Amino acid sequence: MADGIYQPTLPQLRAFVAVAEYRHFGTAAARLNVSQPTLSQALAALENGLGVQLIERSTRRVLVTPAGSALLTQAKAILEAADGFVATAAGVGDALAGALRIGLIPTVAPYVLPALLPALRRELPAVTPQVVEDQTARLLEALRGGVLDVAVLALPSEATGMIEIPLYTEDFVLVVPREHALAGRTDLRPRVLDDLPLLLLDEGHCLRDQTLDLCRSVDAHPASGDTRATSLTTVVQCVAGGLGVTLVPESAVAVETARGDLATARFASPAPGRTIGLVFRASSGRAEKFGRLGEIVKSVAPVSTGDSVLD
C-alpha cells in the first residue's frame, strides 16, 4: 500500500513517462541523459512509493500496466506544469533563459547548427541549448512528454496540442553524378523523376516521405533499389558512386556536394520543396519567446526564403 505522505519527485515522474513513451529502458535513459541504472532506480522508487506497478518488464518487451496507463496522463500534466513553472521563472523579462532543449530533424541539424549555436550564444547569452537530433515522430513524442521544449522540423507536423511557426521554405535539388545527362539543368519538371534510379533515406525520415509524396503527385514511378541509408551524407555518396540520383533540400546542397564527382539539377519555378518551422506545446505559454528563437533560426538558415511549394 502506498505511503500516505509519499511525494513523487520530478525525476521519478520523468523516468516513468519516458519509459512509457519509448517502451525501452535504454532509449528512455538516453532521452533523459541519465544512465540506465539511474532510470531504473527512479522508476522503482516511484512504484514502491505509490505501491503500484506502472511498468511491466520482461527480457523481450516493456509494457505499461493498466494502472500505469491510468496515471500516465496525470504524470505528463505534472511535468508540463513543472516545466512551465520553471520556464516562467527563467523567462521573466524579455529573453529566454536557462536550459533550452531543442530537437532537430537529421536533414536540418547538420546544416543549421554550425551557424545557429554561435548565434544563440550571441543573441540569447542566458540560454543553455541542449540539442537532440532525431526523426520527426520521436521528436514529437519527446515534445508531448516534456522531454523537449521546442523542435525544428518540416511542416505541417499534424500534431495535436502544438503550435507551429513557419520559418523558411527551401527548394528540393536533384543531385546527380557529374557526367549525368541532367547535370546543370535548371528547367526540370517533377515528371523527370519518372523511371530515375532515385535513392531515398530509410523509413521514418520525413524527407523520404516528402520525396515519395512528390512522385505520387505527378504520377512518377522512380526505379527502386535495395540501397538504404539513415543519413543524407550516405545517400549523396552513393550518388557519387554511381548508384543513382537523389533529392536534397537546398540547405544541404553546399555541404553534401562539396566532395565527390557530383552535380546538381534544379526544377523550374515553382520548384518542389518544403517548409521548415518551430513546433512546441501550445500549453507552454512561451509563444512570444519561441518566436524570438524562430527569428534567429530563420536568420542563419543557409537558404533564401523563397516561396517554394510542392507541385
Side-chain angles (χ1 to χ4, degrees), residues 11-301:
Q12 291 169 358
L13 291 175
R14 289 196 194 282
F16 166 46
V17 169
V19 172
E21 289 284 347
Y22 295 109
R23 308 295 175 96
H24 189 277
F25 276 77
T27 302
R31 295 290 175 240
L32 294 178
N33 197 29
V34 300
S35 68
Q36 192 166 327
T38 297
L39 178 88
S40 297
Q41 291 166 10
L43 179 59
L46 178 63
E47 291 179 320
N48 289 336
L50 295 175
V52 173
Q53 183 181 7
L54 304 172
I55 300 294
E56 181 181 335
R57 310 154 178 83
S58 73
T59 56
R60 293 188 176 183
R61 60 182 181 177
V62 173
L63 298 174
V64 182
T65 66
S69 296
L71 293 170
L72 184 58
T73 299
Q74 276 188 286
K76 289 181 178 179
I78 292 169
L79 291 175
E80 189 164 309
D83 289 341
F85 177 80
V86 173
T88 300
V92 171
D94 295 329
L96 286 164
L100 183 65
R101 299 163 298 178
I102 308 172
L104 303 99
I105 54 175
T107 56
V108 167
Y111 318 112
V112 169
L113 283 177
L116 176 60
L117 293 178
L120 288 177
R121 286 194 297 270
R122 183 175 62 253
E123 301 293 333
L124 299 174
V127 164
T128 303
Q130 299 173 353
V131 173
V132 174
E133 180 186 79
D134 211 333
Q135 295 178 4
T136 298
R138 289 196 286 266
L139 291 180
L140 291 172
E141 285 180 9
L143 279 173
R144 282 190 288 266
V147 178
L148 289 177
D149 297 308
V150 64
V152 181
L153 43 79
L155 302 183
S157 69
E158 298 180 349
T160 58
M162 300 290 171
I163 292 176
E164 300 179 353
I165 302 178
L167 300 179
Y168 61 88
T169 60
E170 57 180 337
D171 293 347
F172 290 150
V173 178
L174 190 67
V175 175
V176 299
R178 189 177 300 279
E179 302 304 321
H180 196 278
L182 297 178
R185 291 271 299 273
T186 59
D187 60 347
L188 300 184
R189 298 291 179 184
R191 281 288 303 173
V192 76
L193 299 175
D194 199 22
D195 290 330
L196 281 177
L198 191 61
L199 303 181
L200 301 171
L201 284 169
D202 208 353
E203 292 184 5
H205 290 272
C206 60
L207 182 60
R208 172 192 177 92
D209 297 335
Q210 292 156 358
T211 299
L212 293 175
D213 286 344
L214 171 62
C215 292
R216 284 190 286 266
S217 73
V218 295
D219 197 29
H221 302 87
S224 60
D226 295 327
T227 298
R228 298 168 65 114
T230 60
S231 78
L232 199 53
T233 296
T234 300
V235 172
V236 172
Q237 290 311 303
C238 288
V239 173
L243 300 186
V245 303
T246 196
L247 287 178
V248 303
E250 177 69 39
S251 58
V253 171
V255 171
E256 298 300 347
T257 61
R259 63 182 184 276
D261 292 328
L262 296 163
T264 60
R266 296 178 181 272
F267 293 89
S269 182
R274 67 179 184 177
T275 298
I276 299 299
L278 282 188
V279 179
F280 53 93
R281 294 182 301 279
S283 59
S284 70
R286 306 175 80 184
E288 183 176 348
K289 293 179 175 60
F290 285 147
R292 172 62 180 142
L293 173 65
E295 288 299 318
I296 296 173
V297 176
K298 183 177 179 179
S299 72
V300 301

